[in-house]
Amino acid sequence: MQADIFNGFYCGKRVLVTGHTGFKGSWLAIWLNELGAEVVGVSLSPNTEKDNFILSGVGKRIKADIRADIRNREKMKEIFSAYRPEIVFHLAAQPLVRLSYEMPAETYETNVLGTINIMEAMRSVDGVKVGVMITTDKCYENREHIWGYREDEPMGGYDPYSSSKGAAEIAISSWRRSFFNPADYGVKHHVSIASVRAGNVIGGGDWAKDRIIPDCIRAIESSRPIAIRNPKAIRPWQHVLEPLGGYMLLACKMWDEPCKYCDGWNFGPRAESIVNVWDVATKLIQNYGMGELTDMSDPNALHEAKLLMLDISKAHFKLGWEPRMNIDLCMAMVADWYKRYRTEDVYKLCIEQINKYVR
């Protein structure tokens, strides 16, 4: 790693990442590993042989690569007891809106009870100092306002995925007040816990079903037109490294001032990166150099929000965090990864993009 924007903070730290085989989790594991952290990953198996986790080989580089289900509370406690992490990034989740309609109970079990199980594991083992709990921008009760949601606005959600994340946020707030209360820090506990909400995260190595970038790449690679299901939906697009950098910066702040930063935080893009699905797919095609779009709107499709934006003022003014990329640079990096992953060392490709991001 050529540049460390965290000034050596993570070197030697024991860091546990749940969901490290997933899209965001694999990038986080790579970044932390390159910064010298002792990374323990806890997750289910990756979904495909093309996943960033598989292609990068990061599982062979970190301290421990563990297959376990966060719904198993006792197993989580065993892992925490064995590895005694100092910092926890909880990313494991059922992350898909459309799948949540097919598996609503399982979505709640994973996203709500799984989150509670991680917090209970943090309570059961001495040594955890920081817990960063990753939810989503969809945790807010979305009234499709034309302004961004702030961290203190009501939680909610129309679909099972969004509402499960809203429920997870309520659980995190409850555990913070009940068991990790800042007023009791240093007396009853030594844990600082925060929740973080990001926008529509995109980047190399994502192959999830019903996400716009993977859908585009699959169509391009099979010489099919790209079917756009919800072309007018407006989303806060951001490269995967943007929120991850925010999460990692927040953890540094929480370590130093645990009672000041244990709260909810938004990490989203600037206003110019909040564009509709058709436009973001068009930018991908332009950067990739091929592809054709077709409008497949269905008036009877399952409900998905048309408009969603985050207010990132709090992260800007209180953390000193701000997005480093606009939508054009973001899409250039996304397309670059997918153009190169089949012929190059993917771990090195990810490091190259991290270095480009931090410079």
Side-chain angles (χ1 to χ4, degrees):
M1 180 69 70
Q2 296 176 359
D4 179 2
I5 56 176
F6 308 107
N7 299 314
F9 171 82
Y10 284 99
C11 187
K13 294 287 194 308
R14 299 190 302 276
V15 183
L16 186 143
V17 178
T18 71
H20 73 298
T21 65
F23 164 50
K24 287 173 70 177
S26 64
W27 277 92
L28 179 58
I30 290 169
W31 198 347
L32 288 167
N33 183 65
E34 285 299 299
L35 294 176
E38 296 180 9
V39 180
V40 173
V42 179
S43 184
L44 299 178
S45 297
N47 291 321
T48 78
E49 291 301 310
K50 282 186 171 183
D51 282 7
N52 190 48
F53 175 82
I54 295 290
L55 296 181
S56 69
V58 66
K60 300 181 179 68
R61 296 172 179 262
I62 60 178
K63 181 179 178 66
D65 172 23
I66 302 168
R67 296 291 170 273
D69 193 325
I70 61 171
R71 293 176 292 182
N72 187 333
R73 185 178 308 154
E74 294 308 311
K75 183 63 175 179
M76 293 303 105
K77 290 181 179 179
E78 288 176 15
I79 292 169
F80 274 64
S81 180
Y83 292 96
R84 306 186 71 80
E86 299 168 292
I87 300 170
V88 176
F89 290 100
H90 172 50
L91 290 84
Q94 192 298 91
L96 301 174
V97 170
R98 286 166 66 85
L99 184 59
S100 76
Y101 282 106
E102 300 173 21
M103 304 170 52
E106 293 88 341
T107 297
Y108 260 73
E109 288 169 359
T110 300
N111 294 351
V112 184
L113 292 178
T115 296
I116 289 171
N117 290 343
I118 295 302
M119 293 188 292
E120 285 294 276
M122 291 168 60
R123 283 213 302 144
S124 71
V125 175
D126 291 335
V128 177
K129 292 190 64 175
V130 171
V132 179
M133 318 299 285
I134 288 79
T135 63
T136 176
D137 59 348
K138 297 176 181 64
C139 67
Y140 293 106
E141 182 60 48
N142 187 12
R143 304 188 188 282
E144 308 209 6
H145 297 149
I146 59 172
W147 53 84
Y149 289 92
R150 295 177 179 173
E151 287 85 348
D152 58 358
E153 297 200 53
M155 297 293 120
Y158 181 107
D159 57 87
Y161 168 73
S162 302
S163 61
S164 74
K165 287 296 194 173
E169 283 280 358
I170 292 170
I172 294 164
S173 177
S174 173
W175 257 249
R176 178 166 49 238
R177 287 181 288 182
S178 300
F179 308 113
F180 307 124
N181 198 306
D184 298 326
Y185 187 87
V187 179
K188 295 183 179 179
H189 70 91
H190 292 85
V191 179
S192 178
I193 187 169
S195 60
V196 294
R197 306 131 193 185
N200 275 49
V201 178
I202 56 180
D206 183 12
W207 296 100
K209 185 180 178 183
D210 295 327
R211 283 189 185 152
I212 183 60
I213 301 302
D215 285 351
C216 287
I217 298 299
R218 279 189 287 264
I220 290 171
E221 290 186 348
S222 59
S223 301
R224 290 183 288 106
I226 300 167
I228 304 298
R229 187 179 67 247
N230 205 355
K232 296 181 180 179
I234 298 171
R235 296 287 185 267
W237 307 99
Q238 58 189 151
H239 193 275
V240 62
L241 297 177
E242 296 275 33
L244 293 184
Y247 306 164
M248 294 166 73
L249 174 62
L250 174 61
C252 297
K253 299 282 190 180
M254 293 166 69
W255 183 281
D256 291 336
E257 297 184 78
C259 299
K260 184 176 180 180
Y261 297 99
C262 55
D263 205 351
W265 300 86
N266 289 340
F267 295 99
R270 295 187 182 90
E272 64 265 24
S273 293
I274 303 172
V275 301
N276 66 42
V277 170
W278 187 271
D279 287 346
V280 85
T282 299
K283 289 179 183 295
L284 179 69
I285 286 174
Q286 291 170 346
N287 281 280
Y288 195 93
M290 65 178 68
E292 177 188 355
L293 303 183
T294 180
D295 187 340
M296 296 294 288
S297 303
D298 178 2
N300 299 313
L302 295 170
H303 176 273
E304 291 189 62
K306 302 296 182 187
L307 175 63
L308 186 59
M309 295 187 288
L310 293 175
D311 186 317
I312 59 173
S313 301
K314 181 179 175 182
H316 173 68
F317 288 110
K318 293 191 175 182
L319 294 178
W321 177 89
E322 60 183 359
R324 291 169 173 254
M325 299 186 199
N326 58 27
I327 187 66
D328 292 322
L329 177 55
C330 172
M331 296 313 302
M333 285 185 67
V334 171
D336 185 57
W337 192 98
Y338 284 105
K339 285 193 292 186
R340 297 167 59 188
Y341 81 93
R342 287 178 290 185
T343 58
E344 298 188 26
D345 183 312
V346 169
Y347 190 90
K348 290 181 180 178
L349 174 56
C350 291
I351 296 304
E352 177 188 317
Q353 293 204 333
I354 292 171
N355 282 326
K356 184 175 182 179
Y357 171 75
V358 300
R359 283 200 294 267

